[in-house]
Amino acid sequence: MQIDLLVSVVIPYYKHFKYIEHTIESVFSQTYKNIELIVVDDGSNDGENDILQTLNKRFPFKLYRKDNGGVSSALNYGIKRSKGEFIAIIGSDDIMLPERIAKQVSVLLAKKNLYGCGTYVERIDERGRFINRINPRLPASLDFDYFYSNKFYFPAPAAMYRYTALKSVDFFSENEVIEDWDLCLKLTASGGELILIDSVTTQYRLHLSTSNNYLKMYKGVINVAKKYSYKSKIKYYNIFWYQLAKYVFKSIKAGQYKTAFTILSVMVFDNDRLS
């Protein structure tokens, strides 16, 4: 392995002061050591962001602050200031297991044509307690049609990409809510190859502050599905009906009955009702 190859880890941070210390510690606990860590504070502005200054005295990471623009904006801000050949993404409430970077670098070095690779995750609660390792079977191919489906799996907080691949598609789309899905579609639509490693390398944290704005998420899914429908063998309405049912169910389960009704109204008034 090229131990001199620099990997840039980018953390988009927004009000995760309870968890960010553990995330940063996990990056500096990697067995692969040639890492630059970039933390982008996406306009927290509520007093708690002093935790980043305190942590910056203990850990040598690059800290940037910007006005709030969303996850994709923060990711792009950090990626464009990075110096690494590979870009690893991790949420500011998630945890890297010690071998993650080493495993992903090894895969990307072995296959020069790869645009990026993901891994499986395990889920933990807000206290860091194990929930499960329920993950789908490893697919044979992660091509465009795989990602343009209702069953694709490529966990955003466990992804690593070549910088050149991200640059070739103009990085993350900042006007998309489901920015990770959009990126995978952009990369594979351009002819890039992504793979999934059959290994759990990241702990994905589930907690009360995890987004449950189901109307916003549904709109985001539909926007991306519409954008790429021209290229896929899979019919757009297969995505549409599946996601409608999924988010109506989620909304009802969460007691968000008004949201469920608004999503259901697209059956009569079409998607323009959501804009």
Side-chain angles (χ1 to χ4, degrees):
M1 182 184 297
Q2 293 177 238
I3 59 174
D4 60 331
L5 188 148
L6 180 65
V7 175
S8 299
V9 177
V10 179
I11 300 176
Y13 173 83
Y14 185 72
K15 297 186 178 182
H16 277 158
F17 65 95
K18 292 181 180 179
Y19 312 112
I20 185 63
E21 181 175 357
H22 299 297
T23 304
I24 290 173
E25 284 178 341
S26 76
V27 175
F28 285 101
S29 296
Q30 292 296 294
T31 58
Y32 189 94
K33 297 303 181 184
N34 196 14
I35 293 173
E36 71 164 355
L37 174 58
I38 297 172
V39 179
V40 181
D41 179 5
D42 190 38
S44 295
N45 293 327
D46 58 357
E48 102 285 343
N49 58 15
D50 284 345
I51 184 66
L52 296 178
Q53 293 179 349
T54 300
L55 291 170
N56 210 186
K57 295 175 183 177
R58 291 173 49 199
F59 299 101
F61 61 87
K62 297 176 182 178
L63 174 60
Y64 297 101
R65 301 188 192 276
K66 60 181 286 295
D67 292 338
N68 182 256
V71 174
S72 54
S73 171
L75 285 170
N76 284 345
Y77 193 95
I79 292 167
K80 291 176 182 179
R81 287 159 178 78
S82 68
K83 296 181 179 179
E85 182 174 337
F86 300 148
I87 307 296
I89 307 298
I90 184 75
S92 57
D93 54 348
D94 301 322
I95 302 292
M96 285 187 174
L97 298 181
E99 295 287 338
R100 173 181 161 179
I101 299 297
K103 288 180 178 179
Q104 291 184 297
V105 168
S106 178
V107 168
L108 290 175
L109 286 177
K111 296 191 70 175
K112 303 293 186 180
N113 62 323
L114 283 178
Y115 276 31
C117 64
T119 78
Y120 287 136
V121 301
E122 67 181 22
R123 293 152 198 84
I124 58 175
D125 67 12
E126 58 185 6
R127 297 185 181 181
R129 296 173 299 193
F130 176 81
I131 298 176
N132 66 52
R133 278 193 175 192
I134 300 173
N135 295 298
R137 282 188 173 185
L138 193 67
S141 175
L142 273 63
D143 58 9
F144 178 86
D145 282 330
Y146 167 76
F147 284 107
Y148 195 82
S149 73
N150 289 308
K151 299 297 178 69
F152 84 91
Y153 179 85
F154 199 80
M160 180 184 285
Y161 305 97
R162 293 186 189 277
Y163 175 86
T164 53
L166 295 176
K167 186 177 180 181
S168 73
V169 296
D170 198 25
F171 306 98
F172 285 88
S173 299
E174 297 189 11
N175 60 337
E176 297 294 349
V177 175
I178 316 296
E179 72 286 332
D180 53 322
W181 185 31
D182 180 81
L183 178 66
C184 290
L185 288 168
K186 279 204 297 184
L187 290 171
T188 52
S190 71
E193 182 184 359
L194 300 172
I195 68 168
L196 191 62
I197 303 172
D198 188 10
S199 179
V200 173
T201 70
T202 302
Q203 293 180 319
Y204 174 62
R205 193 184 302 273
L206 300 174
H207 50 84
L208 293 177
S209 62
T210 301
S211 176
N212 63 353
N213 188 336
Y214 296 127
L215 180 58
K216 180 180 179 181
M217 293 169 69
Y218 176 69
K219 288 168 65 176
V221 168
I222 294 304
N223 285 340
V224 172
K226 275 185 172 181
K227 182 163 69 170
Y228 294 96
S229 61
Y230 75 96
K231 188 174 177 63
S232 181
K233 299 172 186 176
I234 300 170
K235 300 297 184 183
Y236 158 69
Y237 279 103
N238 290 341
I239 307 287
F240 171 80
W241 289 113
Y242 178 91
Q243 297 295 335
L244 184 145
K246 173 182 173 181
Y247 282 101
V248 166
F249 176 77
K250 282 177 173 283
S251 300
I252 292 173
K253 187 176 179 181
Q256 299 178 20
Y257 303 113
K258 184 177 179 180
T259 296
F261 176 79
T262 302
I263 295 173
L264 277 170
S265 70
V266 302
M267 289 193 298
V268 177
F269 299 106
D270 199 8
N271 289 338
D272 292 338
R273 176 82 173 189
L274 295 175
S275 57

